């Protein structure tokens, strides 16, 4: 009896087998699904993507006494750096970053600027830092250290090794530099009707990062690669002519000394207003009564905690307005904009503070709370550049362009100001992540005022071209004209696919915000991101990291044929599909029958585990009229011409 039962079951399976989804007759192991190596767990970094129990990072606190000399476009500074070595090893020397030396005409960056010019190059400016004095204090004694420069880095030899796990050393430097007119679109100066606007960044010697991944991070500043810094506190004073207004990273500590009484009153009003409040109006720019006149020069005092950098701007020409930012848990910050008369107008910079406020409020709700007391947007020569609490955006930007650059730069507060990745090596970890969240913010702002729907095929021409490069390419090695696609757009599209079509918003958001929580004010690597997303979402994504981030593979899914079981549509249909390129993605198919019924079915990416073709059973009741793969254009299919099968 048992034999008969088994035989009947086998016969039944053989009869019904054509109705079951089945793989290609010659299975192959797809390269896409091979294990993607993200390294083993260490005491510093867990294979789960979280910091390990012994994770450490060093810190640097800065004090500065700065003077602006407009007559020479010059900055002088005395900086004191207190550096703490939290690593498990002694340090015999310290590397400093002198990024301003890019603007020495003999710098590597200057020599590597293409003859046709470059946004991030040195346009024939001969500047850089002039060091007048450098002193090290160690174990209570001062001495003049031996130093050696390599590119934009300077090695400071210590007389005695800096002890591990808490050793401290103080470095004091007197130096100066001339602000370039064009500073690789990251700093500079521009002449306006009412005076020069100075935007000052990459302007002080800062300690390079010493970490558990590379030791000292010594990649020089060549222009395209941005920055990687440890966190610390900054207390600094900027002295300038009294008719100048200065805005800077952090909290203005002495408004009573640098603002008129009327401006102090407006300052307080702005802290309690959701609408724009003018601190300096258009009519007041340059007026005698608009600035304190007790002395020829004023000193502005600023401080910021747990920051990786600072920047500032100064001008006689600033219109200045502000409004309250409403943060989670009832907290507040102050949005501010400074801009010249030429940039004013309700289709331009007069809406800047509204944009700052909207951007920060969205990201604080979606990700984690904005950490600083102020958020400042500066109109000047820089097209768009981010620093803690202060952004430089083009003084010529208007409407959607101004919203876009403002939202993008303030999005950088989360990547890389809070999540401190290595921009000089992994531009996509801040630019790409930021471009992704920008799409969400833009959709939200003012009911989508500037939002334009796009899909995953937006990069198809580039993906199909010979110009394509991997996302993982270091920014200084990305080919001219490719930075936007490689570091911004492709990773952003990848995260959109991951959120909308692979993990789903709920699972994605849980993993993405966990990544931020784990690595806030720390230094994650790409592997830390990959591992966190997998461990928290519960999904194996090796195929995705390899195909979309590491490789330049493309995707081409196709509907090859439709057949009927026993040539009878009412008994079911067999839909044959194929994956004709190396990049794999899940399958979404819209099936329309002649009886008018339409249904969307989805198959997991594992459908391609054993090969490039698959036959999908479908419980049809009439002839199939049309089958379309990826009907919502969710995936970057580079050959959409074979996505549709039609009976006509």
């Amino acid at each position: 009896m048992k034999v008969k039962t088994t035989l009947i079951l086998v016969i039944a399976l053989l009869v019904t087998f054509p109705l079951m989804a089945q793989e290609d007759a010659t299975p192959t192991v797809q390269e896409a699904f091979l294990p993607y190596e993200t390294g083993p767990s260490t005491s510093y970094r867990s294979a789960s993507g979280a910091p390990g129990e012994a994770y450490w990072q060093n810190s640097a606190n800065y004090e500065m006494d700065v003077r602006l000399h407009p007559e020479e476009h010059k900055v002088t500074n005395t900086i004191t750096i207190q550096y703490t070595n939290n690593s498990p090893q002694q340090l015999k020397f310290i590397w400093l970053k002198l990024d301003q030396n890019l603007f020495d005409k003999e710098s590597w960056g200057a020599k590597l600027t293409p003859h046709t010019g470059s946004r991030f190059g040195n346009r024939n400016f001969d500047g850089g830092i002039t060091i007048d004095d450098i002193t090290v204090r160690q174990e209570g004694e001062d001495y003049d250290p031996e130093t050696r420069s390599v590119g934009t880095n300077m090695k400071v030899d210590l007389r005695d090794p800096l002890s591990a796990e808490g050793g401290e050393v103080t470095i004091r430097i007197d130096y100066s530099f001339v602000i370039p007119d064009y500073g690789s679109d990251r700093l500079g100066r521009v002449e306006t009707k009412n005076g020069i606007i100075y935007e000052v960044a990459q302007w002080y010697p800062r300690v390079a990062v010493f970490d558990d991944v590379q030791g000292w991070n010594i990649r020089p500043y060549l222009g395209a690669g941005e920055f990687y810094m440890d966190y610390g506190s900054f207390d600094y004073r900027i002295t300038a002519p009294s008719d100048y207004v200065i805005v800077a990273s952090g909290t203005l500590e002495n408004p009573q000394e640098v603002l008129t009484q009327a401006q102090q009153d407006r300052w307080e009003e702005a802290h309690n207003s959701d609408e724009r409040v003018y601190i300096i109006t258009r009519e007041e720019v340059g007026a005698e009564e608009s600035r304190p006149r007790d002395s020829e020069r004023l000193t502005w005092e600023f401080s910021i905690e747990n920051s990786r950098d600072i920047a500032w701007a100064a001008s006689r020409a600033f219109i200045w307005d502000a409004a309250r930012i409403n943060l989670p848990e009832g907290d507040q910050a102050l949005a501010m904009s400074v801009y010249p008369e030429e940039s004013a107008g309700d289709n331009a910079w007069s809406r800047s503070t509204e944009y700052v406020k909207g951007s920060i409020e969205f990201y604080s709700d979606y990700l984690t709370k904005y950490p600083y007391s102020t958020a400042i947007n500066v109109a000047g020569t820089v097209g768009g550049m981010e620093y803690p609490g202060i952004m430089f955006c083009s003084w010529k930007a208007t409407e959607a362009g101004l919203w876009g650059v403002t939202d993008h730069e303030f999005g950088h507060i989360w990547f890389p100001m809070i999540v401190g990745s290595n921009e000089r090596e992994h531009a996509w970890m801040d630019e790409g992540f930021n471009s992704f969240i920008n799409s969400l913010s833009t959709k939200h702002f003012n009911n989508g005022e500037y939002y334009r729907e796009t899909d995953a095929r937006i990069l198809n021409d580039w993906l199909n071209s010979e110009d394509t490069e991997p996302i993982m390419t270091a920014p200084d090695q990305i080919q001219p004209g490719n930075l936007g696609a490689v570091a911004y757009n492709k990773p952003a599209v990848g995260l959109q696919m991951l959120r909308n079509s692979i993990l789903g918003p709920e699972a994605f958001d849980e993993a993405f915000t966990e990544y931020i929580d784990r690595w806030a004010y720390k230094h994650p690597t790409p592997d830390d991101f990959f591992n966190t997303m997998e461990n928290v979402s519960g999904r194996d994504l090796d195929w995705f990291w390899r195909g979309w981030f590491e490789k330049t593979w493309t995707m081409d899914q196709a509907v090859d044929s439709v057949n009927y079981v026993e040539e009878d549509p009412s008994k079911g249909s067999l839909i044959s599909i194929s994956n004709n390129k190396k990049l794999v993605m899940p399958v979404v198919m819209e099936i329309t029958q002649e009886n008018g019924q339409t249904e969307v079915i989805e198959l997991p990416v594992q459908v391609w585990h054993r090969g490039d073709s698959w036959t999908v059973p479908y419980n049809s009741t009439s002839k199939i009229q049309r089958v379309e793969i990826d009907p919502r254009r969710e995936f970057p299919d580079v050959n959409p011409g074979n996505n549709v099968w039609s009976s006509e």
Side-chain angles (χ1 to χ4, degrees):
M1 187 69 180
K2 184 177 179 181
V3 174
K4 290 183 179 179
T5 302
T6 303
L7 183 60
I8 292 170
L9 178 60
V10 170
I11 293 172
L13 286 171
L14 290 172
V15 170
T16 58
F17 185 80
L19 298 178
M20 300 170 62
Q22 51 191 285
E23 68 275 12
D24 187 276
T26 309
T28 59
V29 177
Q30 295 280 62
E31 182 181 354
F33 295 105
L34 294 175
Y36 186 79
E37 181 58 51
T38 55
S41 273
T42 70
S43 60
Y44 307 135
R45 296 171 192 269
S46 166
S48 71
E53 68 277 5
Y55 177 83
W56 58 268
Q57 64 190 41
N58 294 345
S59 65
N61 298 327
Y62 298 82
E63 293 185 7
M64 306 185 201
D65 192 356
V66 187
R67 293 180 74 88
L68 173 64
H69 307 272
E71 66 280 1
E72 303 174 78
H73 309 307
K74 188 176 183 179
V75 172
T76 58
N77 189 11
T78 296
I79 181 172
T80 302
I81 308 169
Q82 183 175 331
Y83 184 67
T84 302
N85 175 26
N86 295 313
S87 80
Q89 69 180 73
Q90 293 181 335
L91 299 178
K92 294 182 178 180
F93 50 83
I94 290 173
W95 281 100
L96 298 180
K97 295 286 186 181
L98 307 181
D99 291 331
Q100 191 64 212
N101 281 347
L102 173 69
F103 305 106
D104 183 325
K105 67 179 181 180
E106 295 300 320
S107 73
W108 294 353
K111 293 177 179 179
L112 294 173
T113 301
H115 71 277
T116 54
S118 168
R119 175 188 174 191
F120 299 119
N122 180 356
R123 297 182 179 178
N124 299 314
F125 185 79
D126 190 13
I129 284 179
T130 299
I131 293 179
D132 298 315
D133 184 63
I134 179 168
T135 304
V136 172
R137 172 170 282 267
Q138 197 172 10
E139 303 296 336
E141 295 186 14
D142 294 345
Y143 61 91
D144 298 332
E146 294 291 327
T147 64
R148 177 169 58 88
S149 293
V150 181
T152 53
N153 300 325
M154 184 172 74
K155 183 182 181 185
V156 179
D157 290 322
L158 301 178
R159 186 178 59 187
D160 300 307
L162 183 60
S163 59
E165 299 179 348
E168 295 184 352
V169 65
T170 300
I171 303 173
R172 184 181 183 275
I173 304 173
D174 294 328
Y175 72 96
S176 63
F177 69 95
V178 175
I179 302 169
D181 52 354
Y182 181 82
S184 293
D185 206 25
R186 295 200 171 99
L187 75 154
R189 61 182 195 260
V190 64
E191 185 77 53
T192 73
K193 174 183 175 182
N194 294 309
I196 293 175
I197 296 174
Y198 294 101
E199 295 172 301
V200 185
Q202 291 85 57
W203 62 284
Y204 60 93
R206 49 197 177 193
V207 183
V209 173
F210 182 83
D211 62 22
D212 63 289
V213 179
Q214 294 189 10
W216 286 108
N217 284 257
I218 53 169
R219 280 181 182 255
Y221 181 38
L222 301 177
E226 291 186 325
F227 311 106
Y228 183 37
M229 291 158 281
D230 279 320
Y231 293 90
S233 64
F234 293 79
D235 293 283
Y236 59 113
R237 298 162 296 283
I238 304 173
T239 301
S242 59
D243 55 350
Y244 272 71
V245 168
I246 297 181
V247 291
S249 298
T251 301
L252 174 61
E253 299 289 357
N254 63 334
Q256 71 282 359
E257 296 177 9
V258 295
L259 302 180
T260 67
Q261 186 58 55
Q263 290 163 0
Q264 293 176 54
D265 293 342
R266 296 170 186 173
W267 174 272
E268 291 301 320
E269 180 185 354
H271 278 84
N272 297 293
S273 175
D274 288 323
E275 302 297 325
R276 175 184 62 201
V277 174
Y278 281 101
I279 296 171
I280 298 177
T281 67
R282 181 199 299 240
E283 294 72 26
E284 291 170 335
V285 172
E288 187 75 16
E289 64 275 12
S290 72
R291 304 297 306 118
R293 300 291 180 172
D294 295 338
S295 63
E296 291 185 359
R297 302 181 75 86
L298 291 174
T299 298
W300 300 64
E301 299 178 5
F302 300 92
S303 68
I304 189 169
E305 300 290 329
N306 212 14
S307 180
R308 53 178 247 155
D309 196 8
I310 53 173
W312 54 280
S315 184
R316 297 185 178 101
F318 284 149
I319 299 169
W320 185 0
D321 67 50
R324 175 179 62 196
I325 300 171
N326 300 300
L327 299 175
E329 302 170 347
D331 288 341
Q332 297 177 358
L334 190 66
M336 298 190 285
S337 299
V338 290
Y339 47 94
E341 180 180 331
E342 295 93 318
S343 301
D346 285 337
N347 68 338
W349 275 81
S350 296
R351 289 190 70 185
S352 168
T353 294
E354 175 193 355
Y355 297 161
V356 174
K357 174 180 167 67
S359 179
I360 289 177
E361 289 179 350
F362 174 81
Y363 296 131
S364 293
D365 288 336
Y366 175 50
L367 301 173
T368 193
K369 186 164 54 179
Y370 182 78
Y372 310 123
S373 61
T374 57
I376 307 160
N377 206 11
V378 180
T381 188
V382 176
M385 189 60 201
E386 70 279 0
Y387 303 98
I390 187 169
M391 308 297 150
F392 299 162
C393 296
S394 172
W395 67 313
K396 296 181 179 180
T398 62
E399 298 179 314
L402 181 57
W403 159 259
V405 69
T406 300
D407 184 49
H408 180 79
E409 303 312 334
F410 276 100
H412 275 302
I413 292 297
W414 286 264
F415 309 102
M417 306 306 168
I418 292 176
V419 181
S421 60
N422 186 343
E423 297 179 274
R424 196 153 291 178
E425 292 199 14
H426 310 296
W428 62 273
M429 290 186 73
D430 71 294
E431 299 296 356
F433 290 9
N434 190 24
S435 297
F436 160 68
I437 64 173
N438 295 159
S439 65
L440 303 176
S441 175
T442 300
K443 188 173 185 177
H444 178 268
F445 177 72
N446 204 21
N447 297 314
E449 178 180 358
Y450 298 121
Y451 183 71
R452 300 293 180 270
E453 193 76 47
T454 59
D455 60 54
R457 299 181 191 175
I458 191 172
L459 295 175
N460 273 9
D461 289 345
W462 180 75
L463 292 172
N464 262 332
S465 74
E466 295 180 355
D467 296 330
T468 184
E469 296 178 81
I471 288 174
M472 306 289 270
T473 307
D476 285 316
Q477 297 172 268
I478 294 173
Q479 295 302 308
N482 258 1
L483 184 65
V486 174
Y488 294 67
N489 299 333
K490 188 178 180 184
V493 169
L495 294 186
Q496 287 167 359
M497 288 191 292
L498 202 58
R499 184 177 193 263
N500 298 335
S501 307
I502 298 172
L503 297 181
E506 183 177 357
F508 176 91
D509 289 351
E510 180 186 4
F512 195 57
T513 54
E514 178 66 18
Y515 166 71
I516 295 171
D517 291 344
R518 287 177 172 184
W519 291 99
Y521 309 105
K522 297 181 177 71
H523 298 316
T525 66
D527 289 347
D528 297 320
F529 172 69
F530 297 153
N531 288 334
T532 294
M533 294 302 292
E534 290 194 358
N535 275 256
V536 178
S537 71
R539 297 284 289 275
D540 175 9
L541 297 168
D542 285 8
W543 57 273
F544 187 70
W545 311 134
R546 173 178 289 105
W548 192 252
F549 284 81
E550 183 185 72
K551 305 292 186 180
T552 59
W553 294 347
T554 55
M555 165 191 163
D556 176 18
Q557 293 180 358
V559 184
D560 297 321
S561 64
V562 173
N563 294 290
Y564 302 110
V565 176
E566 298 180 6
E567 299 184 358
D568 183 353
S570 67
K571 293 184 178 180
S573 305
L574 299 173
I575 304 171
S576 296
I577 60 174
S578 60
N579 191 67
N580 300 317
K581 300 285 187 179
K582 282 192 169 184
L583 181 64
V584 295
M585 287 289 166
V587 176
V588 178
M589 285 195 301
E590 183 178 77
I591 303 169
T592 303
Q593 300 184 61
E594 286 188 351
N595 61 15
Q597 291 184 0
T598 298
E599 183 180 5
V600 174
I601 66 171
E602 299 181 3
L603 301 174
V605 71
Q606 289 82 1
V607 72
W608 310 118
H609 257 172
R610 299 182 182 89
D612 293 327
S613 61
W614 194 261
T615 300
V616 183
Y618 181 68
N619 188 23
S620 58
T621 55
S622 70
K623 285 187 176 181
I624 291 180
Q625 185 178 68
R626 190 175 190 272
V627 179
E628 181 177 4
I629 273 188
D630 193 24
R632 298 186 292 263
R633 302 166 67 97
E634 298 174 67
F635 301 108
D637 195 312
V638 298
N639 183 24
N642 59 15
N643 284 20
V644 176
W645 177 91
S646 175
S647 63
E648 298 177 355

